[in-house]
PDB file of all heavy atoms in Angstrom:
ATOM      1  N   SER A 636     -18.958  19.432 -24.315  1.00 86.00           N
ATOM      2  CA  SER A 636     -19.886  20.267 -23.550  1.00 86.00           C
ATOM      3  C   SER A 636     -19.976  19.854 -22.091  1.00 86.00           C
ATOM      4  O   SER A 636     -20.168  20.686 -21.219  1.00 86.00           O
ATOM      5  CB  SER A 636     -21.274  20.227 -24.192  1.00 86.00           C
ATOM      6  OG  SER A 636     -21.194  20.753 -25.505  1.00 86.00           O
ATOM      7  N   LEU A 637     -19.844  18.549 -21.821  1.00 85.00           N
ATOM      8  CA  LEU A 637     -19.941  18.095 -20.433  1.00 85.00           C
ATOM      9  C   LEU A 637     -18.574  17.700 -19.870  1.00 85.00           C
ATOM     10  O   LEU A 637     -18.487  17.155 -18.778  1.00 85.00           O
ATOM     11  CB  LEU A 637     -20.913  16.918 -20.330  1.00 85.00           C
ATOM     12  CG  LEU A 637     -22.346  17.207 -20.770  1.00 85.00           C
ATOM     13  CD1 LEU A 637     -23.172  15.936 -20.816  1.00 85.00           C
ATOM     14  CD2 LEU A 637     -23.003  18.202 -19.814  1.00 85.00           C
ATOM     15  N   THR A 638     -17.519  17.950 -20.624  1.00 82.00           N
ATOM     16  CA  THR A 638     -16.128  17.629 -20.253  1.00 82.00           C
ATOM     17  C   THR A 638     -15.966  16.247 -19.620  1.00 82.00           C
ATOM     18  O   THR A 638     -15.210  16.070 -18.671  1.00 82.00           O
ATOM     19  CB  THR A 638     -15.521  18.695 -19.298  1.00 82.00           C
ATOM     20  OG1 THR A 638     -16.316  18.782 -18.126  1.00 82.00           O
ATOM     21  CG2 THR A 638     -15.401  20.034 -19.967  1.00 82.00           C
ATOM     22  N   ALA A 639     -16.657  15.266 -20.180  1.00 86.00           N
ATOM     23  CA  ALA A 639     -16.478  13.898 -19.698  1.00 86.00           C
ATOM     24  C   ALA A 639     -15.114  13.380 -20.141  1.00 86.00           C
ATOM     25  O   ALA A 639     -14.533  13.879 -21.108  1.00 86.00           O
ATOM     26  CB  ALA A 639     -17.581  12.998 -20.234  1.00 86.00           C
ATOM     27  N   PHE A 651     -21.629   1.172 -27.502  1.00 93.00           N
ATOM     28  CA  PHE A 651     -22.896   1.588 -28.111  1.00 93.00           C
ATOM     29  C   PHE A 651     -22.979   1.118 -29.569  1.00 93.00           C
ATOM     30  O   PHE A 651     -23.992   0.577 -30.002  1.00 93.00           O
ATOM     31  CB  PHE A 651     -23.025   3.114 -28.043  1.00 93.00           C
ATOM     32  CG  PHE A 651     -24.187   3.665 -28.818  1.00 93.00           C
ATOM     33  CD1 PHE A 651     -25.474   3.579 -28.319  1.00 93.00           C
ATOM     34  CD2 PHE A 651     -23.998   4.267 -30.058  1.00 93.00           C
ATOM     35  CE1 PHE A 651     -26.552   4.076 -29.038  1.00 93.00           C
ATOM     36  CE2 PHE A 651     -25.065   4.769 -30.780  1.00 93.00           C
ATOM     37  CZ  PHE A 651     -26.352   4.672 -30.272  1.00 93.00           C
ATOM     38  N   SER A 657     -25.801  -4.325 -33.830  1.00 90.00           N
ATOM     39  CA  SER A 657     -26.274  -5.681 -33.730  1.00 90.00           C
ATOM     40  C   SER A 657     -27.795  -5.717 -33.549  1.00 90.00           C
ATOM     41  O   SER A 657     -28.481  -6.590 -34.072  1.00 90.00           O
ATOM     42  CB  SER A 657     -25.493  -6.326 -32.595  1.00 90.00           C
ATOM     43  OG  SER A 657     -26.153  -7.311 -31.985  1.00 90.00           O
ATOM     44  N   GLY A 772     -12.833  -5.201 -35.116  1.00 87.00           N
ATOM     45  CA  GLY A 772     -11.703  -4.518 -34.489  1.00 87.00           C
ATOM     46  C   GLY A 772     -10.879  -3.637 -35.403  1.00 87.00           C
ATOM     47  O   GLY A 772      -9.844  -3.107 -34.989  1.00 87.00           O
ATOM     48  N   TRP A 775     -10.050  -0.147 -34.109  1.00 92.00           N
ATOM     49  CA  TRP A 775      -8.928  -0.030 -33.172  1.00 92.00           C
ATOM     50  C   TRP A 775      -7.616  -0.014 -33.932  1.00 92.00           C
ATOM     51  O   TRP A 775      -6.666   0.666 -33.552  1.00 92.00           O
ATOM     52  CB  TRP A 775      -8.954  -1.178 -32.163  1.00 92.00           C
ATOM     53  CG  TRP A 775     -10.162  -1.127 -31.287  1.00 92.00           C
ATOM     54  CD1 TRP A 775     -11.293  -1.861 -31.397  1.00 92.00           C
ATOM     55  CD2 TRP A 775     -10.368  -0.245 -30.178  1.00 92.00           C
ATOM     56  NE1 TRP A 775     -12.187  -1.506 -30.421  1.00 92.00           N
ATOM     57  CE2 TRP A 775     -11.638  -0.525 -29.658  1.00 92.00           C
ATOM     58  CE3 TRP A 775      -9.582   0.749 -29.574  1.00 92.00           C
ATOM     59  CZ2 TRP A 775     -12.165   0.149 -28.564  1.00 92.00           C
ATOM     60  CZ3 TRP A 775     -10.100   1.414 -28.478  1.00 92.00           C
ATOM     61  CH2 TRP A 775     -11.380   1.113 -27.984  1.00 92.00           C
ATOM     62  N   GLU A 819      -6.366 -19.707 -37.301  1.00 87.00           N
ATOM     63  CA  GLU A 819      -6.474 -18.823 -36.139  1.00 87.00           C
ATOM     64  C   GLU A 819      -5.198 -17.996 -35.960  1.00 87.00           C
ATOM     65  O   GLU A 819      -5.247 -16.838 -35.565  1.00 87.00           O
ATOM     66  CB  GLU A 819      -6.738 -19.642 -34.861  1.00 87.00           C
ATOM     67  CG  GLU A 819      -8.116 -20.278 -34.804  1.00 87.00           C
ATOM     68  CD  GLU A 819      -8.141 -21.641 -35.470  1.00 87.00           C
ATOM     69  OE1 GLU A 819      -7.096 -22.080 -35.997  1.00 87.00           O
ATOM     70  OE2 GLU A 819      -9.217 -22.282 -35.479  1.00 87.00           O
ATOM     71  N   SER A 837       7.754   3.420 -30.886  1.00 81.00           N
ATOM     72  CA  SER A 837       8.307   3.962 -29.651  1.00 81.00           C
ATOM     73  C   SER A 837       9.811   3.758 -29.580  1.00 81.00           C
ATOM     74  O   SER A 837      10.542   4.601 -29.075  1.00 81.00           O
ATOM     75  CB  SER A 837       7.647   3.293 -28.445  1.00 81.00           C
ATOM     76  OG  SER A 837       6.321   3.723 -28.348  1.00 81.00           O
ATOM     77  N   ARG A 840      11.756   6.315 -31.813  1.00 68.00           N
ATOM     78  CA  ARG A 840      11.573   7.733 -31.584  1.00 68.00           C
ATOM     79  C   ARG A 840      12.778   8.329 -30.860  1.00 68.00           C
ATOM     80  O   ARG A 840      13.347   7.725 -29.961  1.00 68.00           O
ATOM     81  CB  ARG A 840      10.276   7.897 -30.814  1.00 68.00           C
ATOM     82  CG  ARG A 840      10.257   8.878 -29.717  1.00 68.00           C
ATOM     83  CD  ARG A 840       9.110   8.517 -28.835  1.00 68.00           C
ATOM     84  NE  ARG A 840       9.482   7.369 -28.013  1.00 68.00           N
ATOM     85  CZ  ARG A 840       8.906   7.095 -26.851  1.00 68.00           C
ATOM     86  NH1 ARG A 840       7.908   7.811 -26.444  1.00 68.00           N
ATOM     87  NH2 ARG A 840       9.300   6.073 -26.132  1.00 68.00           N
ATOM     88  N   SER A 856     -11.925  23.602 -20.922  1.00 71.00           N
ATOM     89  CA  SER A 856     -13.120  24.356 -20.567  1.00 71.00           C
ATOM     90  C   SER A 856     -12.759  25.824 -20.421  1.00 71.00           C
ATOM     91  O   SER A 856     -11.628  26.167 -20.067  1.00 71.00           O
ATOM     92  CB  SER A 856     -13.744  23.820 -19.282  1.00 71.00           C
ATOM     93  OG  SER A 856     -12.807  23.915 -18.243  1.00 71.00           O
TER      94      SER A 856
ATOM     95  N   LEU B1274     -21.607  25.926 -21.253  1.00 45.00           N
ATOM     96  CA  LEU B1274     -22.152  25.704 -19.925  1.00 45.00           C
ATOM     97  C   LEU B1274     -21.282  26.397 -18.886  1.00 45.00           C
ATOM     98  O   LEU B1274     -20.071  26.408 -18.987  1.00 45.00           O
ATOM     99  CB  LEU B1274     -22.191  24.204 -19.621  1.00 45.00           C
ATOM    100  CG  LEU B1274     -23.252  23.418 -20.374  1.00 45.00           C
ATOM    101  CD1 LEU B1274     -22.958  21.945 -20.310  1.00 45.00           C
ATOM    102  CD2 LEU B1274     -24.636  23.710 -19.831  1.00 45.00           C
ATOM    103  N   ILE B1359      -8.058  -1.808 -20.974  1.00 91.00           N
ATOM    104  CA  ILE B1359      -9.396  -2.114 -21.493  1.00 91.00           C
ATOM    105  C   ILE B1359      -9.426  -3.500 -22.128  1.00 91.00           C
ATOM    106  O   ILE B1359     -10.382  -3.862 -22.789  1.00 91.00           O
ATOM    107  CB  ILE B1359      -9.908  -1.046 -22.475  1.00 91.00           C
ATOM    108  CG1 ILE B1359      -8.975  -0.906 -23.662  1.00 91.00           C
ATOM    109  CG2 ILE B1359     -10.080   0.287 -21.780  1.00 91.00           C
ATOM    110  CD1 ILE B1359      -9.567  -0.073 -24.769  1.00 91.00           C
ATOM    111  N   LEU B1413       8.415   1.564 -22.819  1.00 88.00           N
ATOM    112  CA  LEU B1413       8.456   2.263 -24.105  1.00 88.00           C
ATOM    113  C   LEU B1413       7.344   3.292 -24.283  1.00 88.00           C
ATOM    114  O   LEU B1413       7.179   3.851 -25.359  1.00 88.00           O
ATOM    115  CB  LEU B1413       8.369   1.231 -25.250  1.00 88.00           C
ATOM    116  CG  LEU B1413       9.490   0.197 -25.290  1.00 88.00           C
ATOM    117  CD1 LEU B1413       9.127  -0.933 -26.235  1.00 88.00           C
ATOM    118  CD2 LEU B1413      10.785   0.857 -25.734  1.00 88.00           C
ATOM    119  N   VAL B1415       4.309   2.884 -24.717  1.00 89.00           N
ATOM    120  CA  VAL B1415       3.282   2.495 -25.684  1.00 89.00           C
ATOM    121  C   VAL B1415       1.949   2.508 -24.945  1.00 89.00           C
ATOM    122  O   VAL B1415       1.844   1.954 -23.849  1.00 89.00           O
ATOM    123  CB  VAL B1415       3.554   1.086 -26.256  1.00 89.00           C
ATOM    124  CG1 VAL B1415       2.459   0.688 -27.220  1.00 89.00           C
ATOM    125  CG2 VAL B1415       4.897   1.046 -26.943  1.00 89.00           C
ATOM    126  N   LEU B1422      -6.175  -3.958 -25.771  1.00 92.00           N
ATOM    127  CA  LEU B1422      -7.331  -4.316 -26.583  1.00 92.00           C
ATOM    128  C   LEU B1422      -6.962  -5.277 -27.709  1.00 92.00           C
ATOM    129  O   LEU B1422      -7.665  -6.250 -27.987  1.00 92.00           O
ATOM    130  CB  LEU B1422      -7.982  -3.072 -27.165  1.00 92.00           C
ATOM    131  CG  LEU B1422      -9.333  -3.487 -27.694  1.00 92.00           C
ATOM    132  CD1 LEU B1422     -10.413  -3.104 -26.735  1.00 92.00           C
ATOM    133  CD2 LEU B1422      -9.577  -2.991 -29.061  1.00 92.00           C
ATOM    134  N   TYR B1426      -8.208  -9.627 -28.989  1.00 93.00           N
ATOM    135  CA  TYR B1426      -8.485 -10.338 -30.237  1.00 93.00           C
ATOM    136  C   TYR B1426      -7.558 -11.540 -30.398  1.00 93.00           C
ATOM    137  O   TYR B1426      -7.950 -12.592 -30.896  1.00 93.00           O
ATOM    138  CB  TYR B1426      -8.332  -9.389 -31.433  1.00 93.00           C
ATOM    139  CG  TYR B1426      -9.439  -8.368 -31.509  1.00 93.00           C
ATOM    140  CD1 TYR B1426      -9.291  -7.106 -30.964  1.00 93.00           C
ATOM    141  CD2 TYR B1426     -10.641  -8.679 -32.118  1.00 93.00           C
ATOM    142  CE1 TYR B1426     -10.313  -6.172 -31.011  1.00 93.00           C
ATOM    143  CE2 TYR B1426     -11.671  -7.754 -32.178  1.00 93.00           C
ATOM    144  CZ  TYR B1426     -11.506  -6.500 -31.624  1.00 93.00           C
ATOM    145  OH  TYR B1426     -12.516  -5.586 -31.672  1.00 93.00           O
ATOM    146  N   ARG B1437     -10.557 -26.009 -31.124  1.00 92.00           N
ATOM    147  CA  ARG B1437     -10.771 -26.699 -32.397  1.00 92.00           C
ATOM    148  C   ARG B1437      -9.641 -27.681 -32.685  1.00 92.00           C
ATOM    149  O   ARG B1437      -9.773 -28.578 -33.497  1.00 92.00           O
ATOM    150  CB  ARG B1437     -10.816 -25.688 -33.554  1.00 92.00           C
ATOM    151  CG  ARG B1437     -12.076 -24.865 -33.602  1.00 92.00           C
ATOM    152  CD  ARG B1437     -11.929 -23.815 -34.692  1.00 92.00           C
ATOM    153  NE  ARG B1437     -12.980 -22.812 -34.626  1.00 92.00           N
ATOM    154  CZ  ARG B1437     -12.865 -21.609 -35.180  1.00 92.00           C
ATOM    155  NH1 ARG B1437     -11.749 -21.273 -35.827  1.00 92.00           N
ATOM    156  NH2 ARG B1437     -13.842 -20.745 -35.090  1.00 92.00           N
ATOM    157  N   ALA B1595     -29.236  -8.378 -28.622  1.00 83.00           N
ATOM    158  CA  ALA B1595     -28.381  -7.198 -28.709  1.00 83.00           C
ATOM    159  C   ALA B1595     -28.910  -6.035 -27.877  1.00 83.00           C
ATOM    160  O   ALA B1595     -28.169  -5.101 -27.569  1.00 83.00           O
ATOM    161  CB  ALA B1595     -28.248  -6.771 -30.164  1.00 83.00           C
ATOM    162  N   ALA B1602     -24.795   0.331 -23.000  1.00 90.00           N
ATOM    163  CA  ALA B1602     -24.125   1.509 -23.555  1.00 90.00           C
ATOM    164  C   ALA B1602     -24.830   2.788 -23.118  1.00 90.00           C
ATOM    165  O   ALA B1602     -24.188   3.771 -22.732  1.00 90.00           O
ATOM    166  CB  ALA B1602     -24.089   1.420 -25.077  1.00 90.00           C
ATOM    167  N   VAL B1613     -20.116  13.744 -14.646  1.00 69.00           N
ATOM    168  CA  VAL B1613     -19.384  14.988 -14.846  1.00 69.00           C
ATOM    169  C   VAL B1613     -20.110  16.157 -14.192  1.00 69.00           C
ATOM    170  O   VAL B1613     -19.483  17.006 -13.564  1.00 69.00           O
ATOM    171  CB  VAL B1613     -19.182  15.232 -16.349  1.00 69.00           C
ATOM    172  CG1 VAL B1613     -18.690  16.634 -16.596  1.00 69.00           C
ATOM    173  CG2 VAL B1613     -18.203  14.215 -16.895  1.00 69.00           C
ATOM    174  N   TYR B1617     -17.371  17.256 -11.664  1.00 59.00           N
ATOM    175  CA  TYR B1617     -16.546  18.219 -12.375  1.00 59.00           C
ATOM    176  C   TYR B1617     -15.643  18.969 -11.417  1.00 59.00           C
ATOM    177  O   TYR B1617     -14.482  19.161 -11.636  1.00 59.00           O
ATOM    178  CB  TYR B1617     -17.450  19.195 -13.119  1.00 59.00           C
ATOM    179  CG  TYR B1617     -16.700  20.262 -13.857  1.00 59.00           C
ATOM    180  CD1 TYR B1617     -16.014  19.969 -15.016  1.00 59.00           C
ATOM    181  CD2 TYR B1617     -16.680  21.566 -13.381  1.00 59.00           C
ATOM    182  CE1 TYR B1617     -15.319  20.948 -15.689  1.00 59.00           C
ATOM    183  CE2 TYR B1617     -15.996  22.551 -14.042  1.00 59.00           C
ATOM    184  CZ  TYR B1617     -15.302  22.237 -15.211  1.00 59.00           C
ATOM    185  OH  TYR B1617     -14.616  23.203 -15.858  1.00 59.00           O
ATOM    186  N   PHE B1621     -11.686  17.706 -12.055  1.00 46.00           N
ATOM    187  CA  PHE B1621     -10.914  18.507 -12.982  1.00 46.00           C
ATOM    188  C   PHE B1621     -10.180  19.678 -12.344  1.00 46.00           C
ATOM    189  O   PHE B1621      -9.604  20.498 -13.029  1.00 46.00           O
ATOM    190  CB  PHE B1621     -11.807  18.980 -14.132  1.00 46.00           C
ATOM    191  CG  PHE B1621     -12.257  17.832 -14.973  1.00 46.00           C
ATOM    192  CD1 PHE B1621     -13.460  17.207 -14.738  1.00 46.00           C
ATOM    193  CD2 PHE B1621     -11.431  17.344 -15.967  1.00 46.00           C
ATOM    194  CE1 PHE B1621     -13.845  16.119 -15.504  1.00 46.00           C
ATOM    195  CE2 PHE B1621     -11.809  16.259 -16.737  1.00 46.00           C
ATOM    196  CZ  PHE B1621     -13.021  15.650 -16.504  1.00 46.00           C
TER     197      PHE B1621
END
Side-chain angles (χ1 to χ4, degrees):
Chain A
S636 298
L637 300 172
T638 58
F651 171 77
S657 152
W775 295 101
E819 291 87 359
S837 290
R840 139 200 77 156
S856 59
Chain B
L1274 288 164
I1359 59 169
L1413 300 167
V1415 178
L1422 194 101
Y1426 289 95
R1437 287 174 192 159
V1613 168
Y1617 178 73
F1621 293 94

